[in-house]
Short mmCIF file of all heavy atoms in Angstrom, two decimals:
data_model
loop_
_atom_site.label_atom_id
_atom_site.label_comp_id
_atom_site.label_asym_id
_atom_site.label_seq_id
_atom_site.Cartn_x
_atom_site.Cartn_y
_atom_site.Cartn_z
N MET A 1 180.60 103.72 129.22
CA MET A 1 180.22 103.40 127.75
C MET A 1 180.55 104.61 126.98
O MET A 1 180.42 105.76 127.31
CB MET A 1 178.72 103.11 127.69
CG MET A 1 178.34 101.84 128.24
SD MET A 1 178.94 100.37 127.28
CE MET A 1 177.78 100.47 125.88
N ALA A 2 180.99 104.31 125.74
CA ALA A 2 181.38 105.41 124.79
C ALA A 2 181.50 104.77 123.46
O ALA A 2 181.60 103.51 123.32
CB ALA A 2 182.68 106.05 125.18
N TYR A 3 181.52 105.62 122.36
CA TYR A 3 181.85 105.18 121.10
C TYR A 3 183.38 105.03 121.00
O TYR A 3 184.13 105.81 121.59
CB TYR A 3 181.36 106.07 120.00
CG TYR A 3 179.92 105.85 119.57
CD1 TYR A 3 178.85 105.97 120.50
CD2 TYR A 3 179.55 105.47 118.30
CE1 TYR A 3 177.57 105.67 120.12
CE2 TYR A 3 178.23 105.18 117.88
CZ TYR A 3 177.27 105.29 118.86
OH TYR A 3 175.99 104.98 118.45
N VAL A 4 183.81 104.09 120.21
CA VAL A 4 185.22 103.82 119.97
C VAL A 4 185.52 103.80 118.42
O VAL A 4 184.72 103.32 117.70
CB VAL A 4 185.72 102.51 120.62
CG1 VAL A 4 187.17 102.23 120.23
CG2 VAL A 4 185.60 102.63 122.13
N ILE A 5 186.61 104.49 118.09
CA ILE A 5 186.95 104.49 116.60
C ILE A 5 187.98 103.40 116.32
O ILE A 5 188.99 103.29 117.00
CB ILE A 5 187.57 105.87 116.23
CG1 ILE A 5 186.50 106.96 116.30
CG2 ILE A 5 188.17 105.87 114.79
CD1 ILE A 5 187.00 108.37 116.09
N ASN A 6 187.57 102.49 115.38
CA ASN A 6 188.46 101.42 115.20
C ASN A 6 189.55 101.69 114.06
O ASN A 6 189.63 102.81 113.53
CB ASN A 6 187.66 100.13 114.77
CG ASN A 6 186.90 100.24 113.44
OD1 ASN A 6 187.39 100.98 112.54
ND2 ASN A 6 185.82 99.51 113.32
N ASP A 7 190.40 100.66 113.70
CA ASP A 7 191.46 100.89 112.81
C ASP A 7 191.03 101.11 111.33
O ASP A 7 191.87 101.43 110.50
CB ASP A 7 192.33 99.70 112.82
CG ASP A 7 193.19 99.61 114.09
OD1 ASP A 7 193.23 100.61 114.86
OD2 ASP A 7 193.69 98.54 114.44
N ASP A 8 189.71 101.10 111.05
CA ASP A 8 189.28 101.35 109.66
C ASP A 8 189.33 102.88 109.45
O ASP A 8 189.23 103.34 108.29
CB ASP A 8 187.83 100.94 109.50
CG ASP A 8 187.72 99.38 109.43
OD1 ASP A 8 188.72 98.73 109.21
OD2 ASP A 8 186.56 98.85 109.70
N CYS A 9 189.44 103.67 110.40
CA CYS A 9 189.45 105.13 110.34
C CYS A 9 190.64 105.59 109.39
O CYS A 9 191.68 105.14 109.54
CB CYS A 9 189.71 105.67 111.77
SG CYS A 9 189.88 107.57 111.70
N ILE A 10 190.22 106.45 108.50
CA ILE A 10 191.22 107.07 107.54
C ILE A 10 191.51 108.49 107.85
O ILE A 10 192.05 109.24 107.08
CB ILE A 10 190.62 106.89 106.06
CG1 ILE A 10 189.26 107.63 105.90
CG2 ILE A 10 190.58 105.43 105.61
CD1 ILE A 10 188.74 107.72 104.46
N SER A 11 191.18 108.88 109.03
CA SER A 11 191.46 110.24 109.60
C SER A 11 190.98 111.31 108.69
O SER A 11 191.68 112.34 108.46
CB SER A 11 192.96 110.38 109.79
OG SER A 11 193.39 109.48 110.83
N CYS A 12 189.80 111.17 108.10
CA CYS A 12 189.28 112.21 107.12
C CYS A 12 188.84 113.47 107.85
O CYS A 12 188.68 114.53 107.31
CB CYS A 12 188.10 111.64 106.35
SG CYS A 12 186.62 111.29 107.31
N GLY A 13 188.53 113.32 109.14
CA GLY A 13 188.18 114.45 109.97
C GLY A 13 186.66 114.85 109.95
O GLY A 13 186.23 115.76 110.61
N ALA A 14 185.90 114.11 109.19
CA ALA A 14 184.38 114.41 109.01
C ALA A 14 183.70 114.38 110.41
O ALA A 14 182.71 115.16 110.62
CB ALA A 14 183.85 113.46 108.06
N CYS A 15 184.11 113.52 111.24
CA CYS A 15 183.44 113.32 112.50
C CYS A 15 183.81 114.36 113.59
O CYS A 15 182.95 114.67 114.41
CB CYS A 15 183.71 111.96 113.13
SG CYS A 15 185.46 111.69 113.38
N VAL A 16 184.91 115.07 113.45
CA VAL A 16 185.43 115.94 114.43
C VAL A 16 184.51 117.11 114.74
O VAL A 16 184.10 117.38 115.88
CB VAL A 16 186.87 116.46 114.06
CG1 VAL A 16 187.33 117.39 115.15
CG2 VAL A 16 187.73 115.29 113.98
N SER A 17 184.17 117.83 113.68
CA SER A 17 183.28 119.04 113.98
C SER A 17 181.82 118.73 114.32
O SER A 17 181.15 119.56 114.85
CB SER A 17 183.25 119.90 112.64
OG SER A 17 182.77 119.19 111.59
N GLY A 18 181.43 117.42 114.05
CA GLY A 18 180.07 117.09 114.26
C GLY A 18 179.86 116.64 115.75
O GLY A 18 178.74 116.48 116.18
N CYS A 19 180.88 116.40 116.49
CA CYS A 19 180.80 115.90 117.90
C CYS A 19 180.35 117.06 118.80
O CYS A 19 181.11 118.10 118.85
CB CYS A 19 182.07 115.40 118.33
SG CYS A 19 181.98 114.74 120.09
N PRO A 20 179.25 116.97 119.39
CA PRO A 20 178.70 118.11 120.23
C PRO A 20 179.55 118.33 121.49
O PRO A 20 179.39 119.46 122.13
CB PRO A 20 177.28 117.61 120.61
CG PRO A 20 177.34 116.14 120.57
CD PRO A 20 178.26 115.78 119.41
N VAL A 21 180.38 117.37 121.84
CA VAL A 21 181.15 117.57 123.09
C VAL A 21 182.67 117.68 122.82
O VAL A 21 183.48 117.54 123.77
CB VAL A 21 180.82 116.56 124.18
CG1 VAL A 21 179.42 116.70 124.61
CG2 VAL A 21 181.14 115.16 123.64
N ASP A 22 183.03 117.79 121.54
CA ASP A 22 184.40 117.90 121.14
C ASP A 22 185.34 116.77 121.73
O ASP A 22 186.39 117.00 122.23
CB ASP A 22 185.07 119.27 121.56
CG ASP A 22 184.57 120.41 120.71
OD1 ASP A 22 184.31 120.13 119.52
OD2 ASP A 22 184.57 121.54 121.18
N ALA A 23 184.71 115.54 121.64
CA ALA A 23 185.45 114.44 122.20
C ALA A 23 186.46 113.77 121.29
O ALA A 23 187.20 112.89 121.61
CB ALA A 23 184.43 113.41 122.70
N ILE A 24 186.41 114.18 119.99
CA ILE A 24 187.25 113.52 118.94
C ILE A 24 188.47 114.27 118.60
O ILE A 24 188.40 115.54 118.26
CB ILE A 24 186.43 113.25 117.71
CG1 ILE A 24 185.11 112.50 118.06
CG2 ILE A 24 187.22 112.39 116.69
CD1 ILE A 24 184.10 112.29 116.95
N SER A 25 189.65 113.58 118.69
CA SER A 25 190.84 114.33 118.34
C SER A 25 191.76 113.31 117.69
O SER A 25 191.61 112.12 117.70
CB SER A 25 191.57 114.84 119.57
OG SER A 25 191.88 113.81 120.48
N GLU A 26 192.88 113.83 117.00
CA GLU A 26 193.79 112.97 116.32
C GLU A 26 194.69 112.17 117.30
O GLU A 26 195.31 112.73 118.18
CB GLU A 26 194.67 113.78 115.39
CG GLU A 26 195.46 113.00 114.41
CD GLU A 26 195.80 113.74 113.17
OE1 GLU A 26 195.52 114.86 113.04
OE2 GLU A 26 196.37 113.05 112.22
N GLY A 27 194.67 110.81 117.09
CA GLY A 27 195.48 110.07 117.99
C GLY A 27 196.77 109.59 117.33
O GLY A 27 197.14 110.18 116.28
N ALA A 28 197.47 108.59 117.75
CA ALA A 28 198.69 108.16 117.26
C ALA A 28 198.60 107.61 115.83
O ALA A 28 199.38 107.97 114.97
CB ALA A 28 199.24 107.14 118.09
N SER A 29 197.57 106.87 115.52
CA SER A 29 197.41 106.26 114.28
C SER A 29 196.16 106.66 113.51
O SER A 29 195.98 106.45 112.29
CB SER A 29 197.51 104.68 114.32
OG SER A 29 196.52 104.23 115.23
N HIS A 30 195.16 107.15 114.23
CA HIS A 30 193.87 107.58 113.67
C HIS A 30 193.11 108.38 114.71
O HIS A 30 193.62 108.57 115.88
CB HIS A 30 193.06 106.41 113.18
CG HIS A 30 192.75 105.38 114.28
ND1 HIS A 30 191.97 105.55 115.32
CD2 HIS A 30 193.21 104.10 114.35
CE1 HIS A 30 191.92 104.50 116.06
NE2 HIS A 30 192.60 103.61 115.58
N MET A 31 192.01 108.94 114.33
CA MET A 31 191.19 109.80 115.29
C MET A 31 190.76 108.86 116.52
O MET A 31 190.56 107.68 116.37
CB MET A 31 189.94 110.31 114.60
CG MET A 31 190.23 111.30 113.48
SD MET A 31 191.01 112.79 114.08
CE MET A 31 191.34 113.64 112.49
N GLU A 32 190.72 109.50 117.59
CA GLU A 32 190.28 108.84 118.90
C GLU A 32 189.26 109.58 119.63
O GLU A 32 189.17 110.82 119.50
CB GLU A 32 191.57 108.69 119.76
CG GLU A 32 192.60 107.74 119.14
CD GLU A 32 193.86 107.61 120.04
OE1 GLU A 32 193.99 108.37 121.01
OE2 GLU A 32 194.67 106.73 119.78
N ILE A 33 188.39 108.87 120.36
CA ILE A 33 187.33 109.50 121.10
C ILE A 33 187.76 109.45 122.63
O ILE A 33 188.12 108.45 123.11
CB ILE A 33 185.98 108.70 120.87
CG1 ILE A 33 185.55 108.90 119.44
CG2 ILE A 33 184.94 109.19 121.89
CD1 ILE A 33 184.42 108.00 119.08
N ALA A 34 187.62 110.52 123.24
CA ALA A 34 187.83 110.62 124.71
C ALA A 34 186.60 109.98 125.35
O ALA A 34 185.56 110.58 125.36
CB ALA A 34 188.06 112.05 125.15
N GLU A 35 186.76 108.84 125.87
CA GLU A 35 185.63 108.07 126.39
C GLU A 35 184.94 108.69 127.57
O GLU A 35 183.73 108.40 127.76
CB GLU A 35 185.96 106.56 126.66
CG GLU A 35 186.97 106.41 127.67
CD GLU A 35 187.29 104.87 127.86
OE1 GLU A 35 186.54 104.26 128.67
OE2 GLU A 35 188.21 104.27 127.27
N ASP A 36 185.66 109.52 128.29
CA ASP A 36 185.00 110.14 129.45
C ASP A 36 184.25 111.38 128.99
O ASP A 36 183.49 111.94 129.82
CB ASP A 36 186.19 110.58 130.43
CG ASP A 36 187.16 111.48 129.87
OD1 ASP A 36 187.39 111.43 128.71
OD2 ASP A 36 187.78 112.22 130.66
N GLN A 37 184.32 111.77 127.81
CA GLN A 37 183.56 112.88 127.34
C GLN A 37 182.41 112.47 126.39
O GLN A 37 181.42 113.20 126.28
CB GLN A 37 184.42 113.86 126.51
CG GLN A 37 185.53 114.53 127.28
CD GLN A 37 186.50 115.39 126.43
OE1 GLN A 37 186.01 116.13 125.54
NE2 GLN A 37 187.74 115.35 126.71
N CYS A 38 182.56 111.35 125.73
CA CYS A 38 181.47 110.89 124.74
C CYS A 38 180.11 110.68 125.43
O CYS A 38 180.04 110.02 126.48
CB CYS A 38 182.02 109.64 124.14
SG CYS A 38 180.76 108.91 122.94
N ILE A 39 179.10 111.31 124.78
CA ILE A 39 177.72 111.07 125.40
C ILE A 39 176.92 110.10 124.50
O ILE A 39 175.73 110.02 124.65
CB ILE A 39 176.97 112.43 125.46
CG1 ILE A 39 177.01 113.17 124.10
CG2 ILE A 39 177.69 113.28 126.50
CD1 ILE A 39 176.05 114.40 124.06
N GLU A 40 177.63 109.42 123.64
CA GLU A 40 177.02 108.36 122.78
C GLU A 40 175.83 108.84 121.91
O GLU A 40 174.84 108.16 121.87
CB GLU A 40 176.49 107.22 123.69
CG GLU A 40 177.66 106.45 124.43
CD GLU A 40 177.06 105.23 125.19
OE1 GLU A 40 176.77 104.26 124.61
OE2 GLU A 40 177.02 105.40 126.43
N CYS A 41 176.00 109.98 121.32
CA CYS A 41 174.97 110.54 120.49
C CYS A 41 174.85 109.83 119.12
O CYS A 41 173.90 109.90 118.47
CB CYS A 41 175.19 112.00 120.33
SG CYS A 41 176.56 112.53 119.27
N GLY A 42 176.02 109.28 118.76
CA GLY A 42 176.02 108.58 117.42
C GLY A 42 176.31 109.45 116.23
O GLY A 42 176.36 108.91 115.08
N ALA A 43 176.54 110.69 116.41
CA ALA A 43 176.73 111.61 115.31
C ALA A 43 177.97 111.24 114.47
O ALA A 43 177.97 111.27 113.21
CB ALA A 43 176.88 113.04 115.75
N CYS A 44 179.05 110.81 115.08
CA CYS A 44 180.19 110.43 114.43
C CYS A 44 180.06 109.26 113.56
O CYS A 44 180.54 109.20 112.39
CB CYS A 44 181.38 110.17 115.46
SG CYS A 44 180.96 109.05 116.81
N ALA A 45 179.29 108.26 114.02
CA ALA A 45 178.97 107.07 113.26
C ALA A 45 178.15 107.42 112.01
O ALA A 45 178.31 106.78 110.97
CB ALA A 45 178.28 105.96 114.12
N SER A 46 177.33 108.41 112.16
CA SER A 46 176.47 108.76 111.10
C SER A 46 177.19 109.42 109.87
O SER A 46 176.84 109.20 108.70
CB SER A 46 175.39 109.79 111.53
OG SER A 46 174.49 109.13 112.48
N VAL A 47 178.24 110.17 110.22
CA VAL A 47 178.95 110.87 109.13
C VAL A 47 180.18 110.07 108.62
O VAL A 47 180.73 110.41 107.56
CB VAL A 47 179.42 112.31 109.60
CG1 VAL A 47 178.23 113.13 109.97
CG2 VAL A 47 180.42 112.16 110.76
N CYS A 48 180.55 109.06 109.34
CA CYS A 48 181.85 108.32 108.97
C CYS A 48 181.58 107.55 107.71
O CYS A 48 180.75 106.73 107.61
CB CYS A 48 182.20 107.46 110.09
SG CYS A 48 183.77 106.55 109.69
N PRO A 49 182.51 107.73 106.67
CA PRO A 49 182.40 107.00 105.43
C PRO A 49 182.82 105.57 105.52
O PRO A 49 182.46 104.75 104.61
CB PRO A 49 183.30 107.77 104.51
CG PRO A 49 184.33 108.31 105.39
CD PRO A 49 183.61 108.73 106.65
N VAL A 50 183.53 105.13 106.56
CA VAL A 50 184.00 103.74 106.67
C VAL A 50 183.39 103.00 107.89
O VAL A 50 183.82 101.93 108.19
CB VAL A 50 185.49 103.74 106.68
CG1 VAL A 50 186.06 104.19 105.38
CG2 VAL A 50 186.09 104.46 107.86
N GLY A 51 182.48 103.67 108.63
CA GLY A 51 181.93 102.95 109.75
C GLY A 51 182.80 102.73 110.89
O GLY A 51 182.64 101.73 111.60
N ALA A 52 183.81 103.54 111.08
CA ALA A 52 184.79 103.28 112.15
C ALA A 52 184.38 103.49 113.55
O ALA A 52 184.73 102.67 114.40
CB ALA A 52 186.07 104.07 111.85
N PRO A 53 183.47 104.48 113.88
CA PRO A 53 183.03 104.61 115.24
C PRO A 53 181.89 103.68 115.56
O PRO A 53 180.91 103.57 114.78
CB PRO A 53 182.55 106.13 115.28
CG PRO A 53 182.90 106.75 113.99
CD PRO A 53 183.03 105.59 113.05
N ASN A 54 182.05 102.93 116.67
CA ASN A 54 181.01 101.99 117.07
C ASN A 54 180.87 102.03 118.59
O ASN A 54 181.87 102.25 119.31
CB ASN A 54 181.41 100.59 116.64
CG ASN A 54 181.29 100.41 115.17
OD1 ASN A 54 180.27 100.27 114.61
ND2 ASN A 54 182.47 100.48 114.44
N PRO A 55 179.66 101.76 119.09
CA PRO A 55 179.40 101.82 120.54
C PRO A 55 180.18 100.57 121.13
O PRO A 55 180.13 99.51 120.60
CB PRO A 55 177.95 101.70 120.72
CG PRO A 55 177.46 101.15 119.40
CD PRO A 55 178.41 101.60 118.27
N GLN A 56 180.76 100.77 122.27
CA GLN A 56 181.43 99.68 122.98
C GLN A 56 180.83 99.45 124.33
O GLN A 56 180.32 100.38 124.88
CB GLN A 56 182.95 100.10 123.18
CG GLN A 56 183.68 100.22 121.94
CD GLN A 56 183.90 98.96 121.22
OE1 GLN A 56 184.33 97.98 121.79
NE2 GLN A 56 183.51 98.91 119.90
FE1 SF4 B 1 181.01 112.66 119.94
FE2 SF4 B 1 178.56 111.64 119.79
FE3 SF4 B 1 180.64 110.42 118.60
FE4 SF4 B 1 180.47 110.43 121.21
S1 SF4 B 1 178.96 109.45 119.83
S2 SF4 B 1 182.30 110.87 120.04
S3 SF4 B 1 179.58 112.42 121.69
S4 SF4 B 1 179.80 112.43 118.07
FE1 SF4 B 2 187.84 108.45 111.00
FE2 SF4 B 2 185.31 108.12 110.27
FE3 SF4 B 2 186.01 110.19 111.76
FE4 SF4 B 2 186.71 110.15 109.17
S1 SF4 B 2 184.63 110.23 109.96
S2 SF4 B 2 188.05 110.72 110.97
S3 SF4 B 2 187.12 107.89 108.89
S4 SF4 B 2 186.14 108.00 112.34
#
């Protein structure tokens, strides 16, 4: 289980510094979460202006 960033992401970068395990990085078309690192804290979802990160 991990959070996943969907296509609504506008790559604003707000979630990157807030991730406690540095699991978020720039992907091919938008930010992506390394699912093997995500601890499901929800911090990225809290700061995201478009609601792109969601638990899967
Ligand atoms: Fe990082 Fe937490 Fe978002 Fe997972 S849920 S990517 S650990 S901020
Ligand atoms: Fe994308 Fe939301 Fe992260 Fe901004 S805060 S980079 S819109 S997932």
